Amino acid sequence: MNNKIKWTMLSAILLLPGCNFSRVGEDALQSGMAYHFEAPAKIWEETFPLGNGRIGLMPDGGVEVENYVLNEISMWSGSRQNTDNPEALKALPRIRELLFEGRNDEAQQLMYESFVCAGEGSRQGYRKPYGSYQILGNMRFGYEYDDGKDTAVRNYRRELSLEEAVATVVFRRGRHTYRREAFTSFASDVAVIRLTANAANAISFHVGMNRPERYSLAVDRGDLHMYGRLYEGDEHDPKKRGGTNSAADGDDAEGLGIRYGARLRVLLPEGGQFAVAGDTTLVIEDATEAILLVAMATDYFGHDVDRQIDSLLLAAETKGYETLRQEHVEAYRAMYDRLHVDLGHVREKENLPVDRRLELFRQDRNDPSLLALYFQFGRYLLISSTRPGLLPPNLQGLWCNTVRTPWNGDYHMNINMQMNLWPAEVCNLSELHLPLIEWTRRQVPSGRRTARVFYNARGWVTHILGNVWEFTAPGEHPSWGATNTSAAWMCAHLYNHYLYTCDEEYLAGVYPVMKEAALFFVDMLVEDPRNRYLVTAPTTSPENAYILPDGRRASVCAGSTMDNQILRELFGNVIAAAATLGVDNDFAATLAVKRSRLMPTIIGADGRIMEWLEPFREAEPHHRHVSHLYGLHPAAEISPDSTPELAEAARRTLEARGDESTGWSMAWKVNFRARLHDGEHAWKLLADLLAPCLHDSVNYAKGGGTYPNLFCAHPPFQIDGNFGGCAGIAEMLLQSHNGYVHFLPALPAAWKTGRFNGMRIQGGGEVSAEWTNGKLRRTALKALNDGTFRVKVPADAINLSVRINKLPASLPVRSHILEATLKAGDEMIIMM
């Protein structure tokens, strides 16, 4: 040991009651809904994501050196900024003229010159006011072992339990077996790590913290404290400092942004030696057990960082490890245990390390429980990456390992942010929709200003880019930044939450947000003189481009199929909400007229749905976005039952687009295929989504799949694919968007026997189902609200029997739809 270290024995104040250590054997860790590796992580995408909706940990499980990535959901650089561009409104009439004259490329060029946000937008966001979601820091351990010459590591197992949200490492080295457990407590709001061994005084290590830039370290009251401030952006930072770990980059830096802190406290309930090295490292020797508590915070929500951290640590250290763990698991399982799914089992594959299991699945796709694991992993990630009162999950949830997170780790609103919340309602995590809903509310004041300055319109608008600083202006590149229906799409989530909860008080609270989003388009829509339809001009079909008749390429256009589908949905939702609340009859009538003047979804000469309102040829026929099928999913405009011609055109559109793409795009296509009741193709896409991937460089065309830790690969990592895949599996098993409950609408042969319970339906119900050999055998529906529920029964169902509250019930079945009027708390069981 360093002879400069001053050793002290820990005083009695660090002895915790109730921390009895059970000796570790070499038996396997808890099996069940979990996955594991047999080696430490070599790359970040092999580490386990732990999170409680606010803070995150990602341990790599190293034996001699171990790193924990630390995250906090509000760890954002940047600041609010003035994005007003007065030149935009001046140019708007000429932009529209050029579009209506068919000179779209000239209109786009004029937009690049005039119709963009002031400032630099999202470019290099981590150094600009736009900002970037960033790593809080790294916590790095160096372990020492008293093993003589026997340094071999045996029986290594690193596991993440989805049932408990606990990561565990067990291995044998020399004479001893070592065990580490880590979790981010859902109850105490701190990260907790416990190190133990099967012998006394066998734990020795040193631990420090760092981050790539802008931090200071100190040892304070025996704790290791890292703190600092992030960039507001160059425009607000005249010194424009580079990234170092100098004191000037820490808490004393002036004119900077978000203040953050992390504090590590080490507790040795069974004794050991504690020391400080260089005021930056904590050193532990000869401990039998070490418990580490890590509290993290920022001042984004107005909290006093130091006070919040101190309060969290003080409360946690008095509980003892077993209590901390038990309370954490109970709080987590209160959400996780609401829903269970069983798709079948191949037991020998379930015992494989997940990296080998994924590789084997590429060759032999007979592993149904892998898809159940992937489904529950999606729910796990949503539970772990957001919570009411905080922020919604960003492009990477709440996990990142750099200050330059891809795409700034922001909120892209032309599919990605919305996809993050697709599982929330159907997967029985409705309250986790609330952070996105509240985030949407907070955009309204900024969106009103953007509507006025850029369009001279009432209401509010936002475009593709979003962050925690209420950025609502058009992006810096009109080819993708001109999309202006993002607020309308976000409002679909506001209304969808009502459809599942039937909470009219909630609806009354969000109705003004929806109304103002519609009001913007009342003013912004203009008549296209070529066809007399109302159009959004200028706009795009997200991120795609087309070929003009003269061979030139453009993205900006006058109206798009997706825009029209979104606006029909928005106007319809506002009309329905106004009727429910008994308000705004005249405004609803105005919306009905506007909706009738939107071009309907058109089938082109090739049998596909047209992406634009003119028969343009795609510049990229296999483009990752399939925006013109918004009406199929997530909206309910296209259906095999009600609009079979459009459904067939959607199928042809998907065939032409192809399957291979980015991870999130394949996840969206799973949902499309499920809505088309094509279970085999949906399952094939799920299998493609699970293709092993190790690439982390950006690929917009293909290469998507799954990293070893089950993160979705765009590549690089984007969490939306995980959530989209999870939602896609739910769509294959259950749909309720067409006014009736449809069990197993897209069941593949690979899941011939199975069951689920705890899924949610529109209208306020919770349902379960069982099936054998591909045939539905039993369903149950529990009403959470008074209402009439309609259930589609299989055409080949025989000996149908219905019980309500355990009593036989005779209910009519018309066109394979069974209808029942239930009170809240009633349970209806259908046997087939």
Side-chain angles (χ1 to χ4, degrees), residues 70 136 138-139 207-210 215-228 250-251 259-266 276 279-282 293-297 304-310 313:
L70 308 177
L136 189 145
N138 295 288
M139 186 167 62
V207 57
M209 288 196 230
N210 65 73
Y215 74 99
S216 295
L217 287 174
V219 175
D220 176 38
R221 294 167 286 163
D223 298 339
L224 182 58
H225 185 203
M226 182 171 69
Y227 56 94
D251 194 41
R259 182 174 184 264
Y260 70 89
R263 185 178 284 266
L264 166 64
R265 182 165 298 170
V266 179
V276 175
D279 206 36
T280 60
T281 304
L282 304 183
L293 305 177
V294 186
M296 299 170 254
D304 182 295
V305 173
D306 294 332
R307 185 174 300 173
Q308 182 180 7
I309 286 175
D310 288 345
L313 288 175

Side-chain angles (χ1 to χ4, degrees), residues 305-488:
V305 173
D306 294 332
R307 185 174 300 173
Q308 182 180 7
I309 286 175
D310 288 345
S311 175
L312 290 170
L313 288 175
L314 179 63
E317 73 173 341
T318 63
K319 291 183 177 181
Y321 179 79
E322 297 300 339
T323 298
L324 286 169
R325 193 184 194 283
Q326 180 180 348
E327 290 179 350
H328 155 73
V329 172
E330 288 176 354
Y332 166 73
R333 296 190 73 162
M335 288 183 283
Y336 177 84
D337 280 350
R338 295 173 188 170
L339 191 161
H340 296 88
V341 62
D342 183 348
L343 303 177
H345 300 272
V346 180
R347 298 295 183 187
E348 61 271 19
K349 293 181 179 178
E350 294 174 351
N351 295 325
L352 292 173
V354 68
D355 49 348
R356 283 165 47 194
R357 192 175 181 186
L358 288 171
E359 193 60 49
L360 181 61
F361 187 70
R362 189 206 296 262
Q363 307 161 27
D364 176 8
R365 293 181 170 179
N366 180 26
D367 190 358
S369 64
L370 179 60
L371 276 302
L373 176 72
Y374 190 77
F375 172 79
Q376 291 288 35
F377 183 64
R379 294 184 69 244
Y380 165 86
L381 290 176
L382 187 56
I383 296 168
S384 301
S385 62
T386 191
R387 72 162 80 152
L390 297 180
L391 293 168
N394 59 52
L395 281 174
Q396 296 198 175
L398 63 66
W399 298 279
C400 73
N401 65 339
T402 176
V403 298
R404 302 183 68 175
T405 307
W407 299 285
N408 300 308
D410 68 3
Y411 300 119
H412 272 45
M413 288 177 284
N414 59 5
I415 179 63
N416 315 97
M417 185 182 192
Q418 294 91 336
M419 185 182 285
N420 283 359
L421 276 299
W422 284 355
E425 301 294 343
V426 67
C427 292
N428 212 337
L429 299 170
S430 183
E431 68 268 46
L432 299 186
H433 221 154
L434 296 177
L436 177 138
I437 292 166
E438 291 307 312
W439 183 91
T440 303
R441 287 179 192 260
R442 290 197 297 272
Q443 310 313 302
V444 173
S446 172
R448 287 180 186 139
R449 184 178 181 92
T450 297
R452 183 175 67 254
V453 170
F454 284 82
Y455 300 94
N456 192 29
R458 298 169 295 170
W460 76 283
V461 66
T462 189
H463 297 76
I464 175 178
L465 297 175
N467 58 15
V468 300
W469 307 117
E470 289 84 57
F471 184 100
T472 58
E476 64 269 20
H477 283 284
S479 62
W480 49 260
T483 301
N484 51 44
T485 46
S486 295

